[in-house]
Amino acid sequence: MVTLQGVVPLDARRFQVDFQCGCSVHPRPDIAIHFNPRFHTTKPHVICNTLYLERWQAEARWPRLGLQRGASFLILFLFGNEEMKVSVNGQHFLHYRYRLPLSRVDTLGIFGDILVEAVGFLNISPFAEGGIEYPVGYEVPCSRALPKGLWPGQVIVLRGLVLPEPKDLTLSLRDEAAHVPVTLRASFADRTLAWIAPWGCKKLISAPFLFYPRRFFEVLLLCQEGGLKLALNGQGLGATGVHRQVLEQLRELRISGSVQLYCVHC
């Protein structure tokens, strides 16, 4: 799933989102999926098409455009085995069958009259097991079992969306006795990120605060010998020391705070 957040300018005529097979200029690369909202016509609409060997194929058109000039939006591009589905602001809008192999796509191009606020990529299935509809996000607090604890090389992945008026985000790792030896807390009031020790001592993480209201985020916790290594939105933020025996005895990951989660992977 690819997510796109932004605003359509008041004077917008058109913009396009292209899932491309390369990024060359000459010759123009193949475009597996061309998503093109048009606002300047009598009846605003969306065109989808495929460019192959610099030639456009037969275009597909959808009326009743779910985007408005001057308004913000959230578009989800959801990629299945045979087709892409698109939702706009939480409502299904269209589906488009692949005409070129999706495996060829390696570049995202965004062009035209659009103010991009955030782009997110979820490469782990956002569906509940057996589900086929658009993910709406997990409500928090939520938890995930760690039946065998944590071991070197294991990665915890969290992806989600910060709510409009956030207060905090807390990730805690608990053992069978409900002790909490590891806590990571983001505070929006003072824009700090910190490790919290079991006895309450706070160790601030010296790094830019990378959480923003209405923006997507990704937290990675990598278990390694002697501790956990943290990355936020692809940026490494150091590590905290945890004894291997403590890591092996962990049994639960718990998440709470002002977020909506789309992916929790342990």
Side-chain angles (χ1 to χ4, degrees):
M1 186 171 77
V2 175
T3 63
L4 174 63
Q5 288 177 276
V7 177
V8 180
L10 287 170
D11 59 350
R13 292 178 57 82
R14 55 185 285 170
F15 72 84
Q16 65 194 65
V17 180
D18 293 338
F19 295 89
Q20 304 175 186
C21 308
C23 57
S24 63
V25 177
H26 299 290
R28 193 174 183 183
D30 290 344
I31 300 174
I33 300 168
H34 169 76
F35 176 82
N36 178 207
R38 300 180 181 181
F39 304 91
H40 63 285
T41 60
T42 307
K43 296 181 179 180
H45 58 279
V46 168
I47 295 293
C48 283
N49 207 338
T50 296
L51 184 71
Y52 180 59
L53 298 179
E54 299 192 88
R55 292 187 177 183
W56 288 109
Q57 308 302 297
E59 70 179 26
R61 180 184 298 236
W62 282 266
R64 298 184 297 278
L65 178 59
L67 299 164
Q68 295 183 352
R69 286 171 169 166
S72 59
F73 63 81
L74 171 61
I75 301 176
L76 305 184
F77 299 93
L78 190 61
F79 296 89
N81 292 329
E82 298 180 352
E83 65 179 10
M84 174 193 71
K85 295 180 180 180
V86 178
S87 78
V88 178
N89 297 329
Q91 299 295 318
H92 174 73
F93 183 63
L94 63 84
H95 56 88
Y96 182 76
R97 292 184 66 86
Y98 306 135
R99 302 176 184 177
L100 293 176
L102 198 62
S103 59
R104 292 189 56 204
V105 173
D106 59 12
T107 303
L108 173 64
I110 304 174
F111 311 93
D113 303 323
I114 179 177
L115 301 175
V116 177
E117 293 181 343
V119 178
F121 300 88
L122 280 74
N123 59 6
I124 297 173
S125 174
F127 295 127
E129 187 173 354
I132 59 172
E133 297 304 319
Y134 295 98
V136 295
Y138 306 108
E139 296 296 330
V140 294
C142 75
S143 64
R144 290 292 183 273
L146 302 170
K148 298 181 180 179
L150 293 178
W151 60 91
Q154 186 176 0
V155 181
I156 293 175
V157 182
L158 275 74
R159 296 188 178 100
L161 179 69
V162 178
L163 298 182
E165 297 180 0
K167 295 181 179 179
D168 56 36
L169 168 63
T170 301
L171 283 65
S172 58
L173 292 163
R174 302 166 180 252
D175 61 20
E176 291 179 338
H179 296 144
V180 187
V182 182
T183 300
L184 176 67
R185 181 168 298 149
S187 172
F188 290 87
D190 55 10
R191 298 182 60 79
T192 59
L193 189 62
W195 297 105
I196 310 297
W199 51 90
C201 181
K202 180 188 294 187
K203 178 184 176 183
L204 292 176
I205 297 172
S206 179
F209 192 77
L210 300 177
F211 292 100
Y212 301 95
R214 294 191 178 95
R215 298 289 180 88
F216 284 88
F217 67 88
E218 177 188 66
V219 175
L220 301 180
L221 287 175
L222 170 64
C223 181
Q224 55 186 9
E225 289 287 348
L228 294 167
K229 194 172 183 179
L230 171 67
L232 176 59
N233 297 342
Q235 179 174 330
L237 300 181
T240 186
V242 185
H243 290 300
R244 180 166 183 168
Q245 184 178 2
V246 173
L247 293 170
E248 292 174 348
Q249 293 175 350
L250 295 172
R251 291 295 179 268
E252 181 188 13
L253 166 68
R254 188 172 296 184
I255 306 110
S256 62
S258 309
V259 299
Q260 192 172 40
L261 296 173
Y262 285 89
C263 168
V264 181
H265 178 73
C266 301

